[in-house]
Amino acid sequence: VTVAPETLVESAFHKPVLAAAVAAWAAGTARAVDATVGGGGHAALLVAGRERPQLLALDRDAEALNAARARLGSDDITYLHAPFASPQALSAITAFHPDRILLDLGVSSYQIDRMDRGFTFRPGAPLDMRMTGDQGETAADLLNQAEAEDLERWFREFADETPGPARKLAKEIVRRRGNQAFRVSDDLVNAIRAVLGKRSGPADFARLFQAVRIAVNGEMDQLARALPAMRDALVPGGSLAVITYHSGEDRMVKHQFREWARSCICPPKQPVCTCRGRPLGKVVTPRGVKPDAAEVAGNPRARSARLRIFQVPA
Ligand SMILES: C[S@@+](CC[C@H](N)C(=O)[O-])C[C@H]1O[C@@H](n2cnc3c(N)ncnc32)[C@H](O)[C@@H]1O
């Protein structure tokens, strides 16, 4: 299904989270990268400064890029359709010499609302969840083929499920697919209900569907590969801002930023320092920035958001 870009703009594609904090961070930028431009909500803030900056806008989802282009136009903006950790994206980002790079991870409200993209647990949605159109394995493929150990690990690491239920759910999926292949959202919802019981509801479905989505799109791998390359692409004094939506992602960003900020990363008992011996920059937001209650009330998607910023030396 193709949706006219104008419709997307009018339908409030996606409310940008932590907009005030992102706008404050973006102030004064001359060359910014929005590596997850989505509907262009944050990008509109990035280009809103008095001196309109150059913007490089990426998304792995062609529909999102179309929506951003319809909203922001093409003056001073370069659009690139690629996963942000792909070699093509990372070399374009490096060649751009940015002073700001933004990552607003996960999916947009628009993607979740589109039944045919299969991110939703609403009844009858196909188990698809691929952000990059029709390339690669779908959620149904993974649920029908993955080893039980992998399913269990995804539920633990990407949905914060406790070990017992994570293992039971993985086993239940393997048992059910032996009778009938997973095809639509209801198949996964029913497996979750069978394991978590009557108390399970939309919050559990959202969490466990998210785990499958992260696996389908290799999202942790994308993040792990992108972070150091993006830091290296920044011009002196530049900064990298990352908004995460679950604890696994946030942990990765927090640990990575902390490690970069240390002057020595040699093993504790090593007598002489043989590592880089200097910090690579500083953590601007040691505790991360969370949305306030008013923002969460107006935008439930913001509930789990956390912004962390790292700045390289001037
Ligand atoms: C939370 S939305 C971004 C919303 C955007 N900040 C706004 O205000 O409109 C995340 C976007 O990132 C894209 N995305 C997720 N992972 C990506 C990746 N590895 N490479 C490129 N785009 C990615 C998704 O397709 C989605 O459009």
Side-chain angles (χ1 to χ4, degrees):
V1 185
T2 319
V3 179
E6 312 79 65
T7 327
L8 302 180
V9 178
E10 281 166 13
S11 68
F13 191 96
H14 179 92
K15 252 190 207 173
V17 307
L18 292 163
V22 170
W25 162 78
T29 177
R31 302 181 66 79
V33 173
D34 186 340
T36 51
V37 72
H42 285 127
L45 301 172
L46 288 171
V47 296
R50 228 166 355 121
E51 302 276 324
R52 188 175 162 98
Q54 295 288 318
L55 180 73
L56 173 61
L58 291 89
D59 206 291
R60 69 194 293 179
D61 183 331
E63 285 180 354
L65 269 190
N66 287 339
R69 197 182 278 112
R71 176 175 184 170
L72 303 167
S74 293
D75 285 353
D76 304 318
I77 304 181
T78 308
Y79 295 92
L80 181 59
H81 179 214
F84 56 65
S86 63
Q88 185 199 5
L90 293 176
S91 54
I93 292 171
T94 303
F96 189 74
H97 303 298
D99 57 25
R100 303 282 193 293
I101 303 178
L102 174 66
L103 281 171
D104 177 25
L105 298 169
V107 274
S108 64
S109 321
Y110 163 77
Q111 286 166 319
I112 291 181
D113 289 345
R114 282 281 300 274
M115 282 288 274
D116 59 313
R117 299 295 301 271
F119 291 107
T120 175
F121 54 82
R122 294 208 306 278
L127 282 167
D128 189 322
M129 304 196 191
R130 290 170 301 177
M131 288 181 188
T132 314
D134 53 8
Q135 288 168 36
E137 291 182 311
T138 64
D141 292 335
L142 289 197
L143 289 165
N144 288 322
Q145 291 160 18
E147 302 288 340
E149 296 75 40
D150 288 331
L151 291 165
E152 178 186 338
R153 185 171 53 79
W154 299 338
F155 296 136
R156 287 176 62 164
E157 291 179 10
F158 308 156
D160 292 324
E161 189 50 82
T162 45
R167 187 167 327 115
K168 279 195 196 142
L169 180 56
K171 275 192 180 161
E172 181 67 11
I173 289 168
V174 172
R175 190 186 70 76
R176 285 178 176 241
R177 74 191 185 192
N179 299 330
Q180 199 186 348
F182 279 66
R183 200 175 52 80
V184 288
S185 51
D186 314 59
D187 300 329
L188 182 53
V189 166
N190 290 337
I192 296 170
R193 281 214 174 101
V195 170
L196 298 190
K198 286 205 203 92
R199 281 183 307 134
S200 57
D204 300 296
F205 307 148
R207 205 164 43 78
L208 293 156
F209 270 61
Q210 167 185 280
V212 178
R213 187 205 81 211
I214 290 170
V216 166
N217 294 291
E219 292 176 39
M220 298 301 280
D221 183 52
Q222 280 279 310
L223 184 59
R225 277 191 288 148
L227 288 174
M230 288 182 172
R231 180 206 64 213
D232 286 346
L234 288 166
V235 297
S239 55
L240 168 62
V242 187
I243 303 175
T244 61
Y245 293 90
H246 75 94
S247 63
E249 272 173 351
D250 185 54
R251 239 188 334 268
M252 182 186 288
V253 175
K254 180 172 72 181
H255 289 159
Q256 185 75 99
F257 283 9
R258 272 194 196 153
E259 204 230 66
W260 295 347
R262 285 166 53 190
S263 50
C264 172
I265 53 167
C266 292
K269 290 192 177 150
Q270 188 172 302
V272 181
C273 171
T274 51
C275 71
R276 61 179 185 243
R278 64 180 172 90
L280 299 174
K282 66 174 183 201
V283 182
V284 179
T285 51
R287 291 155 164 260
V289 181
K290 287 197 215 168
D292 61 19
E295 177 170 2
V296 174
N299 182 8
R301 231 187 68 79
R303 193 181 47 237
S304 51
R306 196 179 287 231
L307 165 70
R308 295 187 185 273
I309 300 171
F310 186 86
Q311 186 176 27
V312 299

